[in-house]
């Protein structure tokens, strides 16, 4: 599995998968992501296996061995084949001290509650645990999930500031 840095030749693929996977309110403009990608700690990647594009990942290295996974999306043509789990396994191998990410709040009476529950359970099956924190981000509330140490949440909060994301991280909640 390869994580290939996005360049102009991969732009159309990135935009198609990114726009299809995330609501407009959660997306940043492509040019803004490319600008962020100029920093060494930021990774804007297309994920490939045997020359086939599987999806995309955008993440920020909190330390050399831990990341904040901002976006992960499997190409619709590749879904249902276990690629999401394989990608997460590879990221956990590359960043053994942990990954932190957000998953939409569950049990909030949302119209897409089933989809939210499915996504949340997917991350749990792949070794993520709920940190107990909630983040209010882009007008939505998310669970903060991690695979590593509790200290990842502090690094996550710093990353949110770095990306100039208007977010409020709320103290541990009752599950």
């Amino acid at each position: 599995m390869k994580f290939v840095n996005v360049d102009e030749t991969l732009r159309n693929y990135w935009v198609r998968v990114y726009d299809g996977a995330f609501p407009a309110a959660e997306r940043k403009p492509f040019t803004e992501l490319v600008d962020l990608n100029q920093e060494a700690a930021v990774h804007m990647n297309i994920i490939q296996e045997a020359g086939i594009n599987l999806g995309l990942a955008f993440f920020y290295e909190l330390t050399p061995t831990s990341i904040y996974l901002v976006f992960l999306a499997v190409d619709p043509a590749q879904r249902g084949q276990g690629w999401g789990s394989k990608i997460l396994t590879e990221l956990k191998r590359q960043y053994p001290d942990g990954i932190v990410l957000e998953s939409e709040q569950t049990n909030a009476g949302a119209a897409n509650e089933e989809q939210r529950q499915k996504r949340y359970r997917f991350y749990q099956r792949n070794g993520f645990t709920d940190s107990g924190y909630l983040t209010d981000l882009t007008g939505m509330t998310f669970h903060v999930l991690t695979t590593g140490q509790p200290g990842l949440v502090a690094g996550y909060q710093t990353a949110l500031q770095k990306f100039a994301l208007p977010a409020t991280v709320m103290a541990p909640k009752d599950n």
Side-chain angles (χ1 to χ4, degrees), residues 128-151:
F128 287 80
T129 57
D130 196 319
S131 68
Y133 286 85
L134 290 174
T135 297
D136 182 10
L137 181 67
T138 64
M140 295 176 60
T141 302
F142 296 86
H143 297 278
V144 179
L145 306 175
T146 71
T147 63
Q149 306 299 324

Side-chain angles (χ1 to χ4, degrees), residues 92-123:
K92 288 188 292 185
R93 187 191 67 73
Q94 290 183 27
Y95 298 96
D97 286 338
I99 300 170
V100 61
L101 57 77
E102 300 111 356
S103 184
E104 295 165 301
Q105 184 180 23
T106 56
N107 301 318
N112 67 338
E113 181 63 30
E114 183 178 334
Q115 181 185 48
R116 289 176 181 213
Q117 289 282 346
K118 184 177 177 183
R119 195 173 294 128
Y120 184 80
R121 287 190 306 269
F122 165 77
Y123 287 121

